[in-house]
Amino acid sequence: MNAPCPQDATPIGAVTRRNWLIAGAALPFAASALAQEAPASSAASSPAAGSAAGSAPVSSACSASAATRHARDFILGADLSTLDAVERGGARFTTADGRSGTALQILRAAGINWARLRLWHTPINAADVIEGDRIVSRHGEPVGGGNNDLALTLALAKRIQAQGMKWLLDIHYSDFWTDPGKQAKPAAWARLSGKALQDAVERYTAEVLTALHRQGTDPDMIQVGNEINGGMLWPDGKTWRETPDEQIGGDDSFRALLAAGIRGVRATDRLRGARLPVMLHLAHTGDGQSGALFRRVYDQFEAAKLDYDVIGLSWYPYHHDDFTQLRANLRDLSDRYGKPLVVVETAYGWQPDNPGGGPAVFNREGAERGGYPATPQGQADMLRDLVQAVAAVPNGLGVFWWEPAWMNVPGAGWRTGDGNGWANQTWFDAQGRALPALKAFRESAPCR
C-alpha cells in the first residue's frame, strides 16, 4: 500500500523562518507566506491566499549585472507535476541541514515563486501497453507519469496557491506525454478532424479554465501545447512527414488548432477580469539548428497573428545545443519578437547514475556532453549559469526546473509498470535532503 501523502497530515518539523536563518539561508519573503501547507482535502484558495502569489522575493544575494527588464517579476520556477505520486510513494524531504517539511514548503521557503503543472486529457490506457513479450500495463489502468488529469491539477493548484506561489498550466492536448517526437490526440478525440477537432480544443480549454476559476485557483499563465516543434494533435496538426506518403494536416491545420486553443483561453478572460498570458513552447534541438527552427516557427506564428504573449523554450545541456547557441538564440528571440522569454524546462544530474538503480535519462555520457561535473556542485553551477544567461537578455523572464522533486519511490515511474529514470536530476538527494542547486537558483536571480 502506498504511504499517505504528507499533506494529508500535520507536516513534521514544519519549515519556519527561524529554521531557515539557522541554516544560513536568507529567507526571501514575508513570514505570512510560511504558514504550514494545508491538507489537500481542505485547502481553500481564497483571494487573500492568492494575493501574495509571485510577490518578489528579497534575497541578500542576487545578480546585479542582469540586463532583463523583468527583474522584479523574474520567475524561479519548478515543474511539480509528479508531486502527488511521489508523496504517495512515501518520499520525504528536508532542508540542506536536515529540517523536515513538504517539498512545497521547502521550495517556497528557498525562493521558488512559480510552479508548473502539466495537464493530460484522460490519462488512462486506451489499450494494453505491450513491449515485446512484456505486458507493461493493462487497458484501463492509469498511464503513470503523475496521472495528471484535471482532478489532480485542481488539487495541486490549491496547494501551490496556498503557499503564495504563482503557477503555469501546461496543457498537452493528449492523454500522455507530448514532445517533438510525439503528439498523440486524446482517445476521446480520435475520430475528430477539421473544424470538429478545433471546436473540441477550444471547448476543452475553456472548460478547464472555468473549472479552475470556480475553485478560485486561476493559473497565472497557460501553455497551449507542449514542445510543439512539429505541431500538435497528430496527424491533424503535424507539420512534418516521417514517410513520403504520410497524411498530415500541415502548417495551416497546426496554426488553426493553436488558434482554437487560444480562443478557449480568451473566452474565459472575462471570468478572471484580466488577460491570461499565453505561452507557446518549443524545444531546442541537438543539431545546431535551434535558432533556425525557432525563427521559422515563430515567424509563422507572427504572420498568422496568433494571440500569444510569452515564448517558452526547453533546453537540456546534455541533450540540446550548447550554451553558446542557447545564448545566441535567446538574444535573437528577444530582439526579433520583443516578447518575454522563459526557459520552461531544464535539468541536470547531481550524480551520473540512477540512485534507485536501473536506467537514467542523464548519465555519464550526458555529463560529458553537458560540460558540467555530475555532482551536486556541478548541477548548481549549471543552473547558475543558465539563470544568468536568461537574465542577460532584455526580455528574459525566468527559468523552470523540470521535476526537481521526482524522487525514486514506488508508484512514481515515468509510466505504469516502469521506473523513474529522472531521480538523479532532482534538487534533493536520495535521502530527500536539499542540494546546493536550490540555493544557487535564488542567488543567481537578478536583483529586484
Side-chain angles (χ1 to χ4, degrees), residues 89-238:
R92 296 293 181 264
F93 300 90
T94 68
T95 62
D97 71 335
R99 298 178 184 273
S100 298
T102 67
L104 270 175
Q105 287 174 324
I106 293 169
L107 294 174
R108 183 58 179 131
I112 304 306
N113 57 6
W114 280 71
R116 179 178 185 246
L117 298 176
R118 62 178 166 268
L119 174 62
W120 292 329
H121 187 282
T122 307
I124 300 294
N125 287 337
D128 291 347
V129 178
I130 301 173
E131 288 187 351
D133 296 330
R134 182 169 77 104
I135 299 174
V136 179
S137 58
R138 290 290 192 179
H139 171 259
E141 289 185 327
V143 295
N147 300 312
N148 296 98
D149 61 7
L150 180 56
L152 179 58
T153 301
L154 287 162
L156 288 173
K158 275 188 178 182
R159 296 177 59 192
I160 288 163
Q161 287 199 342
Q163 288 295 307
M165 297 166 70
K166 290 188 175 183
W167 72 287
L168 165 62
L169 174 63
D170 174 17
I171 305 185
H172 281 225
Y173 299 98
S174 184
D175 293 333
F176 203 30
W177 303 105
T178 61
D179 55 43
K182 53 184 177 294
Q183 296 277 341
K185 284 192 288 189
W189 299 350
R191 297 189 179 186
L192 300 182
S193 61
K195 187 176 185 304
L197 182 59
Q198 294 167 27
D199 289 346
V201 169
E202 180 177 354
R203 182 170 56 251
Y204 170 70
T205 305
E207 288 172 353
V208 165
L209 289 172
T210 299
L212 287 162
H213 178 75
R214 287 174 176 167
Q215 181 179 255
T217 52
D218 293 313
D220 299 280
M221 190 183 298
I222 185 171
Q223 280 183 233
V224 176
N226 184 76
E227 295 190 335
I228 51 175
N229 297 35
M232 61 191 290
L233 292 157
W234 292 356
D236 303 69
K238 192 174 185 180

Side-chain angles (χ1 to χ4, degrees), residues 151-448:
L152 179 58
T153 301
L154 287 162
L156 288 173
K158 275 188 178 182
R159 296 177 59 192
I160 288 163
Q161 287 199 342
Q163 288 295 307
M165 297 166 70
K166 290 188 175 183
W167 72 287
L168 165 62
L169 174 63
D170 174 17
I171 305 185
H172 281 225
Y173 299 98
S174 184
D175 293 333
F176 203 30
W177 303 105
T178 61
D179 55 43
K182 53 184 177 294
Q183 296 277 341
K185 284 192 288 189
W189 299 350
R191 297 189 179 186
L192 300 182
S193 61
K195 187 176 185 304
L197 182 59
Q198 294 167 27
D199 289 346
V201 169
E202 180 177 354
R203 182 170 56 251
Y204 170 70
T205 305
E207 288 172 353
V208 165
L209 289 172
T210 299
L212 287 162
H213 178 75
R214 287 174 176 167
Q215 181 179 255
T217 52
D218 293 313
D220 299 280
M221 190 183 298
I222 185 171
Q223 280 183 233
V224 176
N226 184 76
E227 295 190 335
I228 51 175
N229 297 35
M232 61 191 290
L233 292 157
W234 292 356
D236 303 69
K238 192 174 185 180
T239 63
W240 60 283
R241 289 183 171 86
E242 296 179 66
T243 61
D245 58 349
E246 182 181 9
Q247 298 297 307
I248 61 172
D251 290 330
D252 289 343
S253 179
F254 170 41
R255 290 192 295 268
L257 290 166
L258 278 178
I262 295 171
R263 285 197 301 273
V265 177
R266 296 291 163 245
T268 61
D269 282 345
R270 58 182 175 77
L271 297 175
R272 294 176 294 274
R275 176 185 176 89
L276 180 61
V278 170
M279 174 188 288
L280 298 181
H281 168 210
L282 304 186
H284 262 244
T285 65
D287 60 2
Q289 299 301 312
S290 294
L293 166 72
F294 275 71
R295 285 192 297 274
R296 176 177 60 80
V297 176
Y298 283 101
D299 280 355
Q300 291 179 4
F301 293 166
E302 293 294 310
K305 295 182 168 37
L306 292 180
D307 186 12
Y308 74 106
D309 307 279
V310 181
I311 292 174
L313 309 85
S314 291
W315 182 75
Y316 296 94
Y318 56 88
H319 183 58
H320 294 145
D321 301 329
D322 63 21
F323 243 121
T324 299
Q325 294 183 69
L326 171 68
R327 290 188 179 97
N329 195 30
L330 289 169
R331 173 64 64 178
D332 183 59
L333 292 169
S334 181
D335 294 344
R336 191 179 185 90
Y337 303 109
K339 295 181 185 291
L341 307 173
V342 180
V343 174
V344 76
E345 290 189 26
T346 194
Y348 203 79
W350 49 268
Q351 69 175 39
D353 306 308
N354 189 330
V361 174
F362 175 89
N363 51 29
R364 296 181 190 279
E365 181 181 349
E368 292 177 5
R369 179 178 172 87
Y372 293 83
T375 63
Q377 190 58 50
Q379 182 192 58
D381 290 344
M382 172 266 165
L383 180 54
R384 181 180 292 106
D385 289 347
L386 175 58
V387 171
Q388 292 176 353
V390 174
V393 297
N395 285 298
L397 179 57
V399 173
F400 284 83
W401 192 272
W402 199 74
E403 295 283 9
W406 196 358
M407 303 284 287
N408 199 331
V409 294
W414 76 271
R415 66 178 177 183
T416 297
D418 275 323
N420 170 14
W422 202 259
N424 61 338
Q425 298 189 72
T426 57
W427 283 339
F428 300 89
D429 67 16
Q431 288 72 48
R433 187 181 294 259
L435 292 167
L438 193 50
K439 184 179 180 183
F441 201 15
R442 180 185 70 251
E443 292 182 347
S444 57
C447 295
R448 289 173 160 85

